[in-house]
Amino acid sequence: MRLTAFLDVPGQGNLPPLARLEKYAFSENVFNRQIIARGLNDILRDFSNSEEDFLTVMEIVVRLSEDAEPTVRTDLMEQIPPIAVFLQENRSNFPGVLADYLTPIVVRYLTDPNNQVRKSSQEVLLILLEQDLISQHDIENKVCPILLALSAPDSDDEYKAEAVNIICKLASVLNKGTVERLLLPRFCELCGDGKLFQVRKVCATNFGDICRAVGQEATEKFLIPKFLELCSDNVWGMRKACAECFMAVSYSASPEVRRAQLSPLFIRLISDPCRWVRQAAFQSLGPFISTFANPPRAGLYIGEDGPLSIRPPARGLDSDFTPGSPGTGSCGSTSSACSARPVCTEPDLPTEGTSAGTSNFLCRSSSRGMMGNSVEDSALAGAELTRLSPEASATLKLPERNDLPVNSHPGPGSWTCPESPEDVFNNFLYWRTPLPDISKDLEELLLSEAGPREEGCSRPEPVQNSCVARSEIQKVLDSLQEHVMDDPDVQAQVQVLSAALRAAQLDSVNEPAHKPTEGLNEVSVSDPSPASDNQMALSASSSQKELSVARILQSTDPGEPCGGVRDPLETEQRHLPAPLEENKSKLQDVIPQPLLDQYVSMTDPARAQTVDTDIAKHCAYSLPGVALTLGRRNWHCLKDTYETLASDVQWKVRRTLAFSIHELAAILGDQLTAADLVPIFNGFLKDLDEVRIGILKHLYDFLKLLHEDKRREYLYQLQEFVVTDNSRNWRFRYELAEQLILILELYNPHDVYDYLMHIALKLCADKVSEVRWISFKLVVAILQKFYSHSESALGLAFVHELIVRFRHCAKWVGRQAFAFICQAVVSEECIPADQFVEHLLPSLLSLVSDPVPNVRVLLARALRQTLLEKAYLRNAGNPHLEVIEETVLALQSDPDPDVSFFATLQPKRRSTADSRVLEERN
């Protein structure tokens, strides 16, 4: 019963409704006041026809809000949101009522002495803010002042903690300028509140929302320093809250701040002494790494609607060689057109062992004839050397900027372009154990060429010196040829000597550009001439001399013209043997290396004991985001981690990978997918149903990314999805039918007939009706596939199979399925009408004498609602029309009421012309 009806009950005297309302609203009985408070929404709607009465009711509401009983105030506050919605819908009739009457009540209750009333007012305020029912003017002039007063340093601690929570929520609904002007100073002040840790905890929990509200500039200027303090708080709950919101804070910071300040801070949280802090940090590690994503560099973009798009990486952002992967030059199509940006390469640093390999540092400048480029090259080389070990840095001493010689820039013929893949990247030079047996001979040969250049000559010695050097190398090569096939060490020596021979041939035709610096241990990196390259190589430890020299000399091989930019990923895939590729270094330069090291360590079993038992699952969950951030060229950094997760003993970890393997395949591309993901995908196919369902739900998305030949290999394996660990798991088979409908487009009609058709027929006979109904749609899609590709022979063979299996099925469920399939075939028009009436219609009409009413019901629906609606069958000249109408009449007189009902039921949709034709015919 509505409250107004309660007010109109007999025995109330001659008082008008408003007077009765006022009488109950201020009755001494608390129960009467509660009834009025709970029914205010209905009362306002009933009195909304008169503006004067409505405003009178609002005055009563204001007086009722001052009731001394907390339960009355609480009941009143619960009615504010629906009343505010009503006023918003009728704001043209009652403008300003919400701002003048209700908003002050909500704001006043924020300071109510009763805790329950305050909580109710806070909830109501957030609801009004989320639904945008309070204007910006009222928020700035009515809400914010009271919140700032409650959060003042001298305010009550309980009020302060509640106010800061509302302030954080309020930041998301205000504009950026208002938040910076009114709320940001107080928020920064509350972050350093040393009196009450609950206040700091609320600030830390909502730190990301505030950063998102104020933008990058204010975040870096005001909030990042406070965030650094909170991450070092003595209370572990504070540090845990900071770890949980780290991604949101990083998202609002610039790449420089993210790398220089936030990354070391996050590493500190990961190594926090408190286990709960470490657990939260590791859970946020993957999302934090994803904030380093640089789509122009990786060439991977996420569209607004979600799908991944692949574009070529920007040359300007990706022309530098990255550690851990072979780089590419930026040479143009002509021999003199190269990028003006210097290309610096650094070999893969070994994860352990000596640092002598770092001396194989090479910086080649493609600039020509300008002093400024030489300075830039030296600066870039210095930045690279700061990351090397102290021993390597001592070996390569860069000249000071002011000490650079005027003629230190490369000449017109001194620049080099990357040659064949064998010259750009060589497995032996990177990974093979040094072979010292020929180092002295090779060193003497190189010094014999470098000696005349150190004497200050701008031209080399006569050509016969180079000829002698070539003859010496050729003799050694000839002596080793007969042992090449027997000893792999000899093969490695032949490879080094071949590189030296090509370098000697180059020296005989090319002139050196300029003189080297003094001595072998002080090499100007801005000088890319062959002489300086040789000197730099000889400054390394003796165990690496021949490797460094061979690599540098190979990079200057003129045997192949500069052919433009190569994909380093393809170079690695084509020329890296499998064992060497597995040992590739995890170095990269997209994200700080310590972050990646910590991420790959999440698969360590010790982490599960010391941090979190589900840490491997968190690693698997965020792996596609990390892979997207690193890009395809750095997939080698995650490959071992992914394989470890794929073989994890916890099925939850494998299930997580199975649900995201299609996304990872889109990130990596078809080549890496075929090499690294397909074996894991095959393993998931034979896993538990909890894991296989992840594969099945995105089966189409994964298969469409594979090459056609690789995709055909899965045709036979698709039938394995029909068998499940638990036969009651019918949703598994339902998902299979849905995926097969999509997969049909990936295969040709003959493959569909040989493999997928049999799976569809098996699903059509499933015990669960839901699986059968979706399988009937699969059958229709297969028929449509055959006839759309002009494979009528396959289509007729399939139709014959349907008749044999279902029309003549001993179980009534099969015959009912045949009726539904025929109805779907006509509805979708996937078969030519003449072939339908010739091959399917006679078998369909024969079901009129079926002993099971359920079969005849579906036949009646198919004939009355589908077949008779088709223009081809309604044609008066059609010889089959009379047979169909006779069958319908027989069904209309069927003894079963359901059959006769559907046989006489008029179709729901029919055009006017069709109705007129049927009326004339009747």
Side-chain angles (χ1 to χ4, degrees):
M1 184 175 63
R2 295 176 64 88
L3 186 59
T4 51
F6 170 77
L7 295 175
D8 292 336
V9 296
Q12 302 295 332
N14 298 323
L15 293 176
L18 282 178
R20 295 195 200 108
L21 175 63
E22 188 172 359
K23 174 183 176 181
Y24 282 102
F26 306 110
S27 171
E28 294 182 359
N29 190 342
V30 177
F31 177 74
N32 291 337
R33 302 200 302 272
Q34 282 184 292
I35 291 178
I36 297 299
R38 294 172 183 174
L40 281 177
N41 186 30
D42 294 335
I43 294 174
L44 289 172
R45 291 178 183 272
D46 291 333
F47 286 100
S48 61
N49 295 327
S50 173
E51 182 178 358
E52 182 178 356
D53 293 345
F54 188 86
L55 294 179
T56 302
V57 174
M58 294 305 302
E59 294 291 343
I60 296 175
V61 171
V62 173
R63 294 175 58 188
L64 189 64
S65 66
E66 301 172 355
D67 196 286
E69 180 62 34
T71 57
V72 176
R73 302 198 301 273
T74 303
D75 292 336
L76 172 63
M77 188 54 53
E78 292 176 352
Q79 295 298 314
I80 296 296
I83 294 175
V85 173
F86 171 74
L87 294 176
Q88 183 69 12
E89 295 173 351
N90 300 272
R91 57 183 176 273
S92 59
N93 299 329
F94 309 105
V97 173
L98 178 61
D100 296 339
Y101 292 95
L102 297 184
T103 302
I105 296 175
V106 176
V107 173
R108 188 173 72 250
Y109 278 4
L110 292 175
T111 58
D112 195 276
N114 185 269
N115 182 59
Q116 185 176 1
V117 176
R118 285 202 317 275
K119 296 296 184 182
S120 299
S121 65
Q122 294 168 13
E123 295 176 0
V124 169
L125 178 60
L126 294 177
I127 292 174
L128 297 181
L129 292 174
E130 291 174 357
Q131 299 183 2
D132 198 19
L133 296 177
I134 303 181
S135 64
Q136 293 286 326
H137 180 270
D138 290 340
I139 294 176
E140 295 182 17
N141 296 279
K142 296 180 180 180
V143 179
C144 287
I146 189 66
L147 292 177
L148 294 177
L150 291 174
S151 60
D154 56 349
S155 176
D156 185 81
D157 293 340
E158 188 176 4
Y159 289 172
K160 187 184 298 184
E162 296 172 351
V164 68
N165 187 33
I166 301 178
I167 288 176
C168 295
K169 298 294 189 298
L170 193 63
S172 61
V173 299
L174 291 176
N175 58 64
K176 176 181 176 182
T178 304
V179 175
E180 292 185 14
R181 178 169 49 88
L182 297 178
L183 302 182
L184 183 58
R186 179 54 52 85
F187 180 82
C188 294
E189 181 181 347
L190 294 172
C191 287
D193 190 298
K195 181 179 179 182
L196 197 64
F197 82 92
Q198 288 89 347
V199 175
R200 303 197 308 275
K201 176 69 176 297
V202 175
C203 292
T205 304
N206 299 276
F207 210 94
D209 297 333
I210 300 296
C211 292
R212 189 181 302 109
V214 300
Q216 176 179 321
E217 183 178 356
T219 296
E220 296 179 357
K221 184 177 181 181
F222 301 105
L223 295 178
I224 292 297
K226 295 297 180 181
F227 190 68
L228 298 177
E229 296 177 3
L230 290 175
C231 288
S232 304
D233 199 279
N234 294 328
V235 181
W236 67 266
M238 219 74 59
R239 304 193 301 273
K240 179 176 179 291
C242 291
E244 292 172 346
C245 69
F246 216 95
M247 184 197 71
V249 176
S250 175
Y251 185 79
S252 301
S254 64
E256 294 76 13
V257 172
R258 186 181 301 128
R259 182 177 291 269
Q261 299 185 35
L262 296 183
S263 296
L265 183 63
F266 194 87
I267 294 298
R268 195 168 65 192
L269 291 176
I270 282 182
S271 57
D272 194 272
C274 179
R275 175 171 182 170
W276 305 112
V277 178
R278 297 197 304 272
Q279 178 178 331
F282 273 108
Q283 292 181 12
S284 301
L285 177 56
F288 174 54
I289 290 177
S290 67
T291 61
F292 287 85
N294 188 356
R297 179 174 184 175
L300 304 173
Y301 295 80
I302 299 295
E304 295 181 357
D305 52 348
L308 179 72
S309 60
I310 312 297
R311 306 176 194 171
R315 285 190 185 181
L317 295 174
D318 204 26
S319 59
D320 288 351
F321 284 27
T322 59
S325 63
T328 59
S330 54
C331 297
S333 58
T334 62
S335 60
S336 62
C338 283
S339 172
R341 183 174 179 177
V343 180
C344 297
T345 62
E346 182 181 355
D348 293 350
L349 300 180
T351 55
E352 59 182 2
T354 64
S355 62
T358 60
S359 63
N360 298 334
F361 179 85
L362 173 63
C363 182
R364 294 175 297 172
S365 175
S366 59
S367 58
R368 305 172 61 182
M370 295 183 64
M371 172 62 188
N373 292 337
S374 177
V375 176
E376 180 183 359
D377 293 347
S378 299
L380 287 173
E384 292 291 338
L385 288 175
T386 57
R387 303 184 314 178
L388 301 179
S389 61
E391 294 81 2
S393 300
T395 303
L396 297 176
K397 295 182 179 180
L398 292 176
E400 297 292 336
R401 181 187 183 108
N402 296 331
D403 297 333
L404 289 173
V406 177
N407 60 347
S408 64
H409 61 272
S414 63
W415 61 271
T416 60
C417 292
E419 307 301 329
S420 64
E422 293 83 355
D423 297 333
V424 175
F425 182 90
N426 186 279
N427 304 330
F428 168 74
L429 300 182
Y430 277 82
W431 307 113
R432 189 57 181 265
T433 304
L435 302 174
D437 55 335
I438 64 169
S439 58
K440 295 182 178 180
D441 297 336
L442 185 59
E443 183 177 341
E444 292 175 0
L445 291 175
L446 295 173
L447 288 176
S448 65
E449 295 178 17
R453 299 177 187 177
E454 294 174 354
E455 296 175 3
C457 299
S458 60
R459 291 184 175 272
E461 287 295 309
V463 180
Q464 53 264 30
N465 289 343
S466 297
C467 295
V468 172
R470 292 200 306 272
S471 62
E472 294 283 347
I473 298 175
Q474 189 63 47
K475 289 180 181 179
V476 179
L477 279 174
D478 294 340
S479 63
L480 294 176
Q481 286 298 328
E482 56 184 2
H483 305 288
V484 169
M485 302 302 296
D486 301 331
D487 191 351
D489 293 339
V490 176
Q491 297 176 6
Q493 296 174 14
V494 170
Q495 192 174 8
V496 174
L497 291 174
S498 300
L501 181 60
R502 289 196 297 271
Q505 293 173 351
L506 177 65
D507 292 337
S508 65
V509 295
N510 289 347
E511 294 183 1
H514 45 74
K515 297 188 298 181
T517 57
E518 336 172 337
L520 296 177
N521 292 330
E522 296 181 5
V523 181
S524 174
V525 183
S526 63
D527 183 2
S529 64
S532 66
D533 291 345
N534 296 338
Q535 294 168 4
M536 182 170 57
L538 293 174
S539 66
S541 64
S542 60
S543 63
Q544 297 287 332
K545 288 178 182 178
E546 68 273 21
L547 304 182
S548 304
V549 171
R551 183 188 179 198
I552 298 174
L553 293 178
Q554 279 186 323
S555 67
T556 60
D557 183 14
E560 181 180 351
C562 178
V565 178
R566 280 193 185 89
D567 186 0
L569 197 58
E570 294 181 359
T571 303
E572 289 179 335
Q573 290 178 346
R574 285 200 301 264
H575 301 285
L576 269 182
L580 298 180
E581 190 174 359
E582 291 176 358
N583 295 327
K584 184 185 291 187
S585 174
K586 298 292 188 296
L587 296 180
Q588 44 73 46
D589 65 347
V590 178
I591 64 175
Q593 188 63 34
L595 291 179
L596 181 60
D597 295 339
Q598 292 291 343
Y599 180 79
V600 299
S601 71
M602 293 175 71
T603 58
D604 188 354
R607 294 288 190 190
Q609 302 297 327
T610 59
V611 179
D612 184 9
T613 55
D614 290 333
I615 188 172
K617 181 182 177 182
H618 295 299
C619 179
Y621 181 81
S622 58
L623 194 141
V626 177
L628 180 66
T629 302
L630 295 179
R632 295 180 179 179
R633 65 185 303 170
N634 293 314
W635 165 243
H636 60 274
C637 300
L638 298 175
K639 179 183 175 182
D640 294 340
T641 302
Y642 191 79
E643 293 176 350
T644 303
L645 293 172
S647 59
D648 196 276
V649 295
Q650 300 184 68
W651 64 265
K652 294 184 295 183
V653 177
R654 304 194 304 275
R655 174 185 170 92
T656 304
L657 293 181
F659 271 94
S660 62
I661 193 171
H662 67 289
E663 297 288 357
L664 189 60
I667 294 172
L668 299 183
D670 55 352
Q671 293 185 8
L672 286 174
T673 297
D676 300 334
L677 297 188
V678 166
I680 295 175
F681 182 85
N682 295 337
F684 288 159
L685 290 177
K686 302 176 178 62
D687 212 314
L688 302 175
D689 285 349
E690 289 79 4
V691 179
R692 296 169 69 204
I693 189 62
I695 291 291
L696 183 58
K697 277 186 173 294
H698 303 285
L699 186 60
Y700 165 77
D701 297 326
F702 184 82
L703 291 180
K704 72 178 181 180
L705 298 173
L706 300 180
H707 193 267
E708 183 178 359
D709 296 337
K710 179 65 69 173
R711 190 188 303 150
R712 292 192 76 255
E713 297 178 3
Y714 290 97
L715 278 170
Y716 183 77
Q717 301 182 35
L718 290 176
Q719 62 184 354
E720 297 179 3
F721 284 107
V722 181
V723 182
T724 56
D725 298 338
N726 185 0
S727 59
R728 297 181 180 179
N729 188 10
W730 62 268
R731 290 181 177 84
F732 197 92
R733 301 188 296 276
Y734 184 92
E735 187 67 37
L736 173 61
E738 284 191 327
Q739 287 295 312
L740 289 178
I741 295 176
L742 301 174
I743 289 173
L744 291 177
E745 70 177 55
L746 302 179
Y747 297 101
N748 59 62
H750 291 278
D751 289 338
V752 173
Y753 182 85
D754 294 336
Y755 297 96
L756 304 186
M757 184 188 75
H758 302 288
I759 302 177
L761 293 175
K762 187 178 296 185
L763 293 174
C764 287
D766 197 87
K767 296 179 180 180
V768 180
S769 61
E770 289 293 331
V771 178
R772 295 197 301 271
W773 293 124
I774 190 64
S775 301
F776 299 155
K777 297 180 180 179
L778 173 61
V779 169
V780 174
I782 292 176
L783 285 172
Q784 197 166 14
K785 174 82 173 182
F786 291 156
Y787 285 96
S788 62
H789 289 75
S790 302
E791 295 289 348
S792 58
L794 298 179
L796 292 177
F798 189 31
V799 167
H800 177 72
E801 188 72 22
L802 293 175
I803 295 174
V804 172
R805 281 179 176 259
F806 298 107
R807 170 57 190 90
H808 302 292
C809 182
K811 297 182 179 180
W812 67 269
V813 176
R815 302 192 298 274
Q816 185 189 50
F818 181 77
F820 184 85
I821 291 173
C822 291
Q823 181 182 9
V825 166
V826 175
S827 178
E828 299 295 332
E829 298 181 354
C830 58
I831 292 182
D834 57 341
Q835 294 196 19
F836 173 80
V837 298
E838 180 181 355
H839 300 284
L840 286 176
L841 185 59
S843 300
L844 177 64
L845 296 178
S846 64
L847 293 176
V848 68
S849 59
D850 195 276
V852 179
N854 287 357
V855 178
R856 302 197 302 274
V857 165
L858 210 55
L859 173 63
R861 292 178 57 184
L863 296 178
R864 188 64 178 173
Q865 300 181 15
T866 305
L867 268 73
L868 290 178
E869 294 301 304
K870 296 300 178 180
Y872 176 81
L873 295 175
R874 293 201 316 269
N875 189 359
N878 193 317
H880 303 279
L881 178 61
E882 183 178 353
V883 180
I884 296 175
E885 291 179 344
E886 291 177 357
T887 305
V888 172
L889 291 176
L891 293 172
Q892 289 177 353
S893 58
D894 193 277
D896 188 275
D898 293 333
V899 176
S900 60
F901 171 79
F902 283 103
T904 57
L905 183 65
Q906 296 294 330
K908 295 181 179 181
R909 296 180 181 178
R910 178 181 296 148
S911 63
T912 306
D914 292 342
S915 301
R916 184 170 58 254
V917 170
L918 292 178
E919 290 174 0
E920 293 176 356
R921 182 177 301 154
N922 294 333

